[in-house]
Amino acid sequence: MLLLLAVAPALAIGQEKQTPEKSEFSFSIDQIAGPEFVEFELTLKNHGNGDLLFEFPTSKKYEIIVMDGEKKKVYQFSEDKAFAQAFEKLEVKPRETIKWRESWDYNQAGIRIKEGEYSVNGQLEAISVNGKPVENKQQLTDQKQMYIPGENPVFKGIKTAGESGSYKISGEARPTSGKFFYTIEDGHNQLIAETKVIQKSKYPNWHPFSLKVTIPENKLPQNGSLILTLYERSKEGKIIHTYPVLLERFPNK
């Protein structure tokens, strides 16, 4: 009996160690709101030294909801999507980070929403972690604010391709002066200074363009985002009609 009493606390401690504490993992949502669409990045991190096993009631791992200033829903990731109705598990190794990315084109029922401030709500749909039911739902949710810009009158249909410092940017433009400019930075340093591009047509006619840019590997950021910004200048030389373009996130895994 004494031996059993001595062992019982140790067993209890062992069981408690299998239960993830709040600090062992985190879930977050971030976004980059561009002129034509927003890109959401959802991140699940295991901060602990043990494996974490997340269980989901369906194949749906997360939900994203965007609300306007009046708390009205303007976007929900899961709408019009089908998910397998079967339990699924996700194992996250110690110190491992898992990311998911989704995008939205600002359209609601085929109509672009208004420019302004919106709230972004992300939620991990797990119902248990290491076999224990999730009681604190706040640990699996995150909320951010974002500003959705109005339509850009000079640039549209921008697409990017490439990685690791070599990129191609294409789209359409109609600058009033017949020329536009671009720069590239990583949030801290300007990697490509202002560069001028001459267009073959002026506003209001759209004309396709294509750019190829190269950045030396030793100048690429270790951690952060590589952003190209398109813009034109007014007659007074003021930067107008800016259009930011995400080229790559680092680390990109």
Side-chain angles (χ1 to χ4, degrees), residues 43-113:
T43 304
L44 176 62
K45 293 183 179 180
N46 181 353
H47 300 286
N49 296 318
D51 292 346
L52 293 178
L53 188 63
F54 294 81
E55 186 173 28
F56 301 83
T58 69
S59 62
K60 177 184 169 190
K61 301 293 189 300
Y62 47 82
E63 181 66 278
I64 305 170
I65 295 177
V66 179
M67 312 281 282
D68 64 17
E70 297 179 351
K71 305 299 182 183
K72 294 181 180 178
K73 182 180 66 178
V74 297
Y75 169 76
Q76 183 169 346
F77 162 72
S78 63
E79 282 188 351
D80 301 322
K81 291 183 175 67
F83 299 94
Q85 301 300 304
F87 282 90
E88 290 195 4
K89 295 181 179 181
L90 174 65
E91 184 178 24
V92 187
K93 297 294 184 179
R95 309 297 176 179
E96 183 181 8
T97 297
I98 294 178
K99 294 179 181 290
W100 299 276
R101 292 190 177 103
E102 301 292 344
S103 62
W104 172 46
D105 63 3
Y106 302 137
N107 284 321
Q108 182 186 29
I111 300 175
R112 182 178 170 121
I113 63 173

Side-chain angles (χ1 to χ4, degrees), residues 134-146:
V134 176
E135 298 179 356
N136 182 9
K137 293 293 184 180
Q138 290 185 347
Q139 191 178 352
L140 301 181
T141 61
D142 189 26
Q143 179 174 309
K144 297 289 171 55
Q145 294 295 121
M146 74 171 173

Side-chain angles (χ1 to χ4, degrees), residues 90-229:
L90 174 65
E91 184 178 24
V92 187
K93 297 294 184 179
R95 309 297 176 179
E96 183 181 8
T97 297
I98 294 178
K99 294 179 181 290
W100 299 276
R101 292 190 177 103
E102 301 292 344
S103 62
W104 172 46
D105 63 3
Y106 302 137
N107 284 321
Q108 182 186 29
I111 300 175
R112 182 178 170 121
I113 63 173
K114 295 180 180 180
E115 177 180 359
E117 291 282 349
Y118 292 80
S119 64
V120 180
N121 298 275
Q123 179 169 333
L124 195 69
E125 299 284 272
I127 57 173
S128 70
V129 183
N130 287 355
K132 181 180 179 181
V134 176
E135 298 179 356
N136 182 9
K137 293 293 184 180
Q138 290 185 347
Q139 191 178 352
L140 301 181
T141 61
D142 189 26
Q143 179 174 309
K144 297 289 171 55
Q145 294 295 121
M146 74 171 173
Y147 186 86
I148 294 179
E151 288 188 89
N152 193 295
V154 174
F155 304 100
K156 72 174 183 178
I158 308 300
K159 298 180 180 179
T160 66
E163 61 181 359
S164 304
S166 181
Y167 309 97
K168 180 180 179 180
I169 303 95
S170 61
E172 294 183 76
R174 55 176 185 179
T176 55
S177 63
K179 62 180 180 289
F180 64 88
F181 306 85
Y182 68 87
T183 61
I184 296 181
E185 61 178 31
D186 62 5
H188 302 283
N189 305 298
Q190 189 177 78
L191 305 180
I192 292 184
E194 181 177 271
T195 303
K196 181 169 62 176
V197 179
I198 304 296
Q199 274 291 88
K200 294 182 180 180
S201 63
K202 298 182 181 180
Y203 188 92
N205 299 316
W206 292 99
H207 192 83
F209 72 89
S210 180
L211 307 172
K212 289 185 178 180
V213 297
T214 302
I215 299 171
E217 184 177 354
N218 61 355
K219 289 189 176 182
L220 294 174
Q222 295 288 322
N223 188 15
S225 298
L226 202 61
I227 304 293
L228 176 143
T229 302

